[in-house]
Amino acid sequence: MALRTVTRKLGRQVLPIFSSSQLHSHATSFGFKEVREEEKSQMVGNVFTSVASNYDLMNDLMSAGLHRLWKERLISKLNPFPGMKHLDVAGGTGDVAFRILETINSVKRRALQDFLEDNLLEETQIYICDINPNMLNVGKKRALERGLGEDRSLTWVEGDAESLNFVNDSMDGYTIAFGIRNVTHIEKVLAEAYRVLKRGGRFLCLELSHVEIPIFKELYDYYSFSVIPAMGELVAGDRESYQYLVESIRRFPSQEKFASMIADAGFQKVEYENLVGGVVATHSGLKI
Amino acid sequence: MVRLSAALLKNAGTELGSLGKTLSEFLVCPLSKQPLRYCEETNSLISDTIGVSFPIKDGIPCLVPKDGKILDTEDTSKSEDTASSSAKNEDNQG
């Protein structure tokens, strides 16, 4: 059954990438379920509304803390600099944005005198865009806790990755961590990322991906389908959301396929790196 | 520098207003990709090109296309100088 739906999804993805935005009711995946396209965003919305309060705790538990290292890896690839304009999509809880800002602040402290700092501090802008207001509220609360509540470098916006509300050619960097798997139209997200990036701007994606190493794959599957939903039920009182999580990972395109989609959106120097044997992968591309 | 310190001195009430102004500088309408105008009265961002208003909730602009409200029904009933603004809104929707 899963196989059939996978084939179907692949078929859909070879369609022209800039097809009209008013697509008719295609089927899309919600985990292993086939749902109508209009329903997916609603259903994903429900998942994230449900998991928002436990989101970071569950990430720590499920990945045994590894998601922190993966995010660090993403940021080291981004190479943030003072004064940069950055857009972090689907990062409502602020996890990626805080790290970028902290990296910039430490770079700045090393490199510059006090009197220059004020100016640059104002210039650095990190926009956090998430479609789910509950995730953004968690992020704003965490910003306050970290003493970043008044930081003018952080701007929170409720927006849709498929239809971004940022000016063309305005961003130095774009990150999306564990987000693109949940969107309805990956191609539209990539096209929008391309649109808002400046020339020379970098697209970076961190996403749960595919493990192909024998034995490790079997272990990973067991962990995914048996341990994670049970953990979700135990810790967050929500089995379904975590069942969706593991299913949606299996439905996401392979590393190679996703890389070719990024290239199709116009990005150059597209490359990916597997972490932990493909449990997650970082994909990157440049707008030249 | 002046702008920064001035902003820091402001209290929470006016901060939202200045936020709205700053926001309208870098944000565009998610549908038309045209500039947004900050409307102090309704604390919303207005896309004049397509006549849609997007709310700002708890200082977070909500610019998901489905959050947008078509102007004219919502906005004009609130303001006192409806005559001019509703006419303008209707023009924009054409």
Side-chain angles (χ1 to χ4, degrees):
Chain A
M1 191 180 71
L3 209 96
R4 194 190 60 208
T5 50
V6 167
T7 338
R8 185 158 180 187
K9 194 174 186 199
L10 286 175
R12 200 164 53 78
Q13 277 155 359
V14 296
L15 291 172
I17 52 165
F18 289 105
S19 51
S20 90
S21 57
Q22 281 81 35
L23 288 169
H24 294 290
S25 183
H26 287 293
T28 188
S29 64
F30 178 78
F32 287 164
K33 289 192 201 86
E34 289 277 338
V35 297
R36 280 187 301 131
E37 283 192 340
E38 313 84 87
E39 289 171 338
K40 177 164 176 171
S41 59
Q42 178 71 47
M43 294 171 86
V44 170
N46 294 343
V47 166
F48 281 90
T49 298
S50 162
V51 303
S53 55
N54 288 305
Y55 185 76
D56 288 308
L57 170 67
M58 279 301 289
N59 280 349
D60 267 332
L61 285 175
M62 289 186 297
S63 72
L66 284 173
H67 75 103
R68 293 162 187 272
L69 299 179
W70 299 333
K71 284 169 183 158
E72 290 301 335
R73 182 82 189 147
L74 183 79
I75 283 145
S76 75
K77 280 171 187 274
L78 176 69
N79 202 11
F81 57 90
M84 91 180 290
K85 307 279 180 281
H86 185 82
L87 172 60
D88 180 49
V89 172
T93 62
D95 224 20
V96 172
F98 298 149
R99 282 163 214 266
I100 295 173
L101 189 58
E102 278 154 15
T103 309
I104 289 176
N105 287 343
S106 66
V107 169
K108 187 159 53 63
R109 222 168 283 129
R110 284 200 304 271
L112 292 158
Q113 301 287 335
D114 280 6
F115 68 92
L116 279 175
E117 281 194 14
D118 281 349
N119 271 337
L120 282 161
L121 190 66
E122 208 192 358
E123 279 176 25
T124 301
Q125 276 298 334
I126 300 168
Y127 303 108
I128 301 127
C129 177
D130 200 297
I131 200 165
N132 193 304
N134 299 288
M135 299 287 277
L136 287 166
N137 287 335
V138 171
K140 281 194 97 170
K141 211 176 291 166
R142 290 180 62 206
L144 283 173
E145 287 162 11
R146 286 176 170 234
L148 297 170
E150 295 298 312
D151 199 309
R152 291 169 57 80
S153 303
L154 296 174
T155 306
W156 308 81
V157 180
E158 192 182 320
D160 184 348
E162 294 185 20
S163 189
L164 287 176
N165 43 264
F166 297 91
V167 180
N168 293 0
D169 311 303
S170 59
M171 300 289 168
D172 297 295
Y174 175 110
T175 47
I176 182 164
F178 306 121
I180 204 160
R181 194 185 67 247
N182 298 308
V183 307
T184 310
H185 305 101
I186 297 171
E187 331 72 84
K188 281 193 201 168
V189 173
L190 295 172
E192 280 289 84
Y194 191 83
R195 181 181 67 78
V196 300
L197 278 168
K198 293 177 187 169
R199 302 221 166 260
R202 185 85 177 273
F203 166 86
L204 276 167
C205 172
L206 180 65
E207 190 50 271
L208 291 147
S209 203
H210 297 271
V211 175
E212 299 302 341
I213 304 165
I215 302 173
F216 183 50
K217 181 180 164 60
E218 276 74 53
L219 281 170
Y220 179 59
D221 279 343
Y222 173 77
Y223 179 72
S224 300
F225 289 101
S226 303
V227 180
I228 286 185
M231 201 189 271
E233 187 165 22
L234 200 69
V235 179
D238 180 0
R239 172 177 270 269
E240 279 82 43
S241 293
Y242 291 90
Q243 182 70 32
Y244 161 73
L245 168 77
V246 293
E247 291 182 5
S248 67
I249 297 166
R250 299 314 191 278
R251 294 299 308 269
F252 190 69
S254 69
Q255 286 88 329
E256 284 292 334
K257 171 73 190 163
F258 183 47
S260 75
M261 292 171 80
I262 296 169
D264 287 345
F267 288 101
Q268 310 269 319
K269 295 191 188 297
V270 176
E271 49 191 47
Y272 69 86
E273 181 190 24
N274 282 335
L275 305 172
V276 201
V279 170
V280 294
T282 59
H283 279 77
S284 105
L286 274 178
K287 175 173 173 179
I288 295 174
Chain B
M1 298 265 269
V2 177
R3 200 144 59 92
L4 177 67
S5 41
L8 289 174
L9 288 170
K10 281 183 184 164
N11 62 28
T14 54
E15 204 171 83
L16 215 63
S18 74
L19 174 80
K21 279 196 198 81
T22 334
L23 288 175
S24 52
E25 285 166 23
F26 65 82
L27 295 177
V28 294
C29 167
L31 297 164
S32 67
K33 316 292 183 197
Q34 296 301 307
L36 291 164
R37 174 171 58 84
Y38 176 63
C39 173
E40 231 163 300
E41 195 182 342
T42 56
N43 189 36
S44 60
L45 293 164
I46 295 174
S47 176
D48 285 316
T49 334
I50 55 168
V52 168
S53 139
F54 295 95
I56 300 178
K57 292 178 194 159
D58 304 328
I60 300 179
C62 305
L63 292 162
V64 178
K66 67 169 167 50
D67 289 339
K69 289 203 177 70
I70 295 177
L71 284 171
D72 161 39
T73 47
E74 185 78 1
D75 250 34
T76 53
S77 54
K78 282 179 194 159
S79 59
E80 291 196 345
D81 52 337
T82 37
S84 59
S85 64
S86 73
K88 196 172 162 234
N89 289 335
E90 272 156 22
D91 281 351
N92 288 331
Q93 279 177 47

